[in-house]
Amino acid sequence: MSINKGQTATMDNTMRTTWLSQRALPLWSENGYDPKRRLFHERLTFSAEPVSMPALRLMVQARQIATYARASLDNMFDASAKALTCLAEVERRYYRADGDAGWIFSLAPDGHPADRRRDLYAHAFILFAYGWAFRLTGDPSFLRIAASTTSDIDRIFKASSHGGYLDTVPAKDSIRRQNPHMHLFEAYLVLFEASGDDSYLQRATDLVTLCLSHFIDPDTGTLRENFDARWQPLEAQGKNRVEPGHMFEWSWLLSEYVRVAPDTQNTHHIQACARRLFDSGMGPGTDAGTRRVRDAMTESGTILETSTRIWPQTECLRALCLFARQGDTCAAQAISPQAVDFSDAYLPENLNGGWIDRLDENGHSLMDHMPASSLYHVYGAFCEMPEQSAPNHQCATAS
C-alpha cells in the first residue's frame, strides 16, 4: 500500500500494518524464498521474479531469518517455519563449512562454499539472527551456537592492538570500518536482552567505548566511516566520508544500549552523543526539500553522493520515532510527512510490497532489481512508528 501525494498527509498504523502484513512480508517469504534450497533469494526483479545469483551471502540469509522471527513475535505475519528451516540449512551449509572456525561468506548454487572469507559484518548478522530465533522459540541450542560464534569472532577478528576487530580475514585492505562494528554492537544488544548473559553486555560496552572515542568526530558530532589500523581517520579533518544513515542508526542503537542497560556509567554522555548524531544527520546530509537522506558527505557537510538509498530513509524514520517517544514534539511532527515522502518515493504501488532501493538526485531509480536485504531496515523502521502523528504546529526541526 503505497501512500500517494495528494491523497493523504498521514501514514497511520493501519496503512503501515497492512502494507507489511499483506504485501511486503508475504512477497519476500513467497517469491523471495526458494523452497528447494530452503534459502531466501537475494534479489527480485520489479515483476517479483527471483534473480539468479552466482552466490548467496550469509548476511542476506541472516537478515531475512531475523526479520521473519520478529514479524512472528510481533504477530505481524507468520513465516517462522520457513525462517527456522532456513536457519537450519544456513547452519549446515555456512557454519565451519570448510573445516575452519567461523562462517563462510557465501554459498554457490551447487551448495558448496563460493567465498570462504570470514567477514565480520556477516558474522554480526548471523549472531543477530540467532538472538531473534532464540527469542522466538526459547530453544537453548540457538544460544549455544551464538556463544560458539562469539568465541570464533574473538579468535578470528579481534585486533591485536588499538581495540576493535578486523573487517575480513584474509584482509582485503588495511582499512578499518565502523560499519561491521555497529552491527556487531546491535547483535550483542539483542543477545544480551534475549539471554541475560552479561558477557554480551560487556562486549557491547566495549564497542560503545570504541565508537565514542574514535568513530565520532568531537568537533562536528558526525560519524566517520573509515580509519587506519590505529583508528585514525584516513583523510584530513573535514574530508572524511560520513554516511548520515549510519549516524541515525548509531543514534538509535546507543539509545537502545541505554534502555537495556540503564545503570551503565556515562548514561547522560551516551544519550547526548545519540542526540548529536541525530541532529548532525538531519543537517546537510538530509535534503530539506525532499526530506531524503543523502548517501554520503564529509564531516564538514560537503555532499559526496547526491543519490539516496532506501535504508538511510528508514533509519531516519526510526530515529525520529525514538526522539518523539522521548518527548521531542518537533520529531513527532516530522514523522508523518517523512513517512509519506518515503513511501511515495521508495514504495510505489505497482511493486506490491517491493521497493526502489536507490534513487538519483532527480528521483529516478538507479537499480533494475529489488534487494532482499532492505526488508530488515524497512521492518525495523515501520515497527517503531506511532499509531498517530503529533498535532500539526510550526517547528523548525521538522523540515
Side-chain angles (χ1 to χ4, degrees), residues 9 19 60 81 83-84 97 99-100 114 119 131 171 201 230 277 286 295 358 363:
W19 185 85
V60 174
L84 294 172
D100 292 334
D119 179 82
L201 180 60
R230 299 174 63 88
L277 285 169
T286 299
D295 284 344
R358 193 172 190 178

Side-chain angles (χ1 to χ4, degrees), residues 58 90-105 115-119 122-123 126 145 148-157 169:
L58 173 64
V90 164
E91 185 178 319
R92 186 170 76 89
R93 294 289 190 181
Y94 291 78
Y95 186 45
R96 300 179 176 176
D98 55 1
D100 292 334
W103 299 72
I104 63 169
F105 181 76
D115 188 334
R116 299 169 186 265
R117 279 179 303 163
R118 274 26 181 196
D119 179 82
H123 278 69
I126 197 62
I145 295 294
S148 179
T149 299
T150 298
S151 297
D152 286 344
I153 288 171
D154 287 345
R155 179 160 31 134
I156 296 167
F157 298 102
V169 176

Side-chain angles (χ1 to χ4, degrees), residues 29-242:
S29 65
E30 295 167 8
N31 299 57
Y33 182 77
D34 183 348
K36 292 183 179 179
R37 299 183 72 183
R38 298 182 292 279
L39 297 170
F40 288 98
H41 294 295
E42 287 229 359
R43 299 175 179 179
L44 296 178
T45 67
F46 288 138
S47 57
E49 297 296 326
V51 177
S52 179
M53 300 290 292
L56 295 180
R57 293 170 293 169
L58 173 64
M59 176 272 288
V60 174
Q61 303 303 313
R63 283 191 178 193
Q64 298 299 79
I65 292 164
T67 299
Y68 281 104
R70 291 185 64 186
S72 181
L73 283 164
D74 293 338
N75 294 315
M76 183 73 70
F77 182 81
D78 189 9
S80 56
K82 285 182 179 178
L84 294 172
T85 296
C86 178
L87 182 57
E89 188 69 10
V90 164
E91 185 178 319
R92 186 170 76 89
R93 294 289 190 181
Y94 291 78
Y95 186 45
R96 300 179 176 176
D98 55 1
D100 292 334
W103 299 72
I104 63 169
F105 181 76
S106 62
L107 193 70
D110 65 2
H112 291 91
D115 188 334
R116 299 169 186 265
R117 279 179 303 163
R118 274 26 181 196
D119 179 82
L120 182 63
Y121 188 97
H123 278 69
F125 272 108
I126 197 62
L127 278 180
F128 185 70
Y130 274 98
W132 280 108
F134 175 74
R135 291 181 71 165
L136 175 65
T137 66
D139 185 340
S141 69
F142 293 146
L143 289 185
R144 288 196 291 271
I145 295 294
S148 179
T149 299
T150 298
S151 297
D152 286 344
I153 288 171
D154 287 345
R155 179 160 31 134
I156 296 167
F157 298 102
K158 202 159 191 177
S160 58
S161 60
H162 307 294
Y165 299 85
L166 305 176
D167 285 13
T168 60
V169 176
K172 60 183 178 181
D173 54 41
S174 61
I175 297 174
R176 307 283 290 279
R177 296 167 177 84
Q178 70 76 23
N179 192 22
H181 292 75
M182 178 182 71
H183 289 298
L184 188 60
F185 175 51
E186 178 183 33
Y188 286 151
L189 289 180
V190 168
L191 283 165
F192 169 66
E193 192 166 24
S195 68
D197 186 336
D198 286 338
S199 69
Y200 291 121
L201 180 60
Q202 183 56 58
R203 286 179 165 84
T205 300
D206 292 343
L207 290 167
V208 170
T209 300
L210 186 66
C211 174
L212 300 187
S213 60
H214 292 291
F215 299 166
I216 299 174
D217 174 26
D219 294 333
T220 62
T222 56
L223 181 85
R224 293 176 291 212
E225 292 288 325
N226 302 318
F227 303 85
D228 65 18
R230 299 174 63 88
W231 291 112
Q232 297 302 305
L234 292 184
E235 308 295 338
Q237 177 69 25
K239 296 184 177 181
N240 288 280
R241 181 181 179 88
V242 166

Side-chain angles (χ1 to χ4, degrees), residues 3 7-13 15 336-337 339-340 385 388-390:
I3 298 176
Q7 291 185 340
T8 181
T10 63
M11 182 186 215
D12 65 23
N13 194 49
M15 291 178 179
S336 184
V340 170
M385 288 178 62
Q388 289 184 319
S389 58

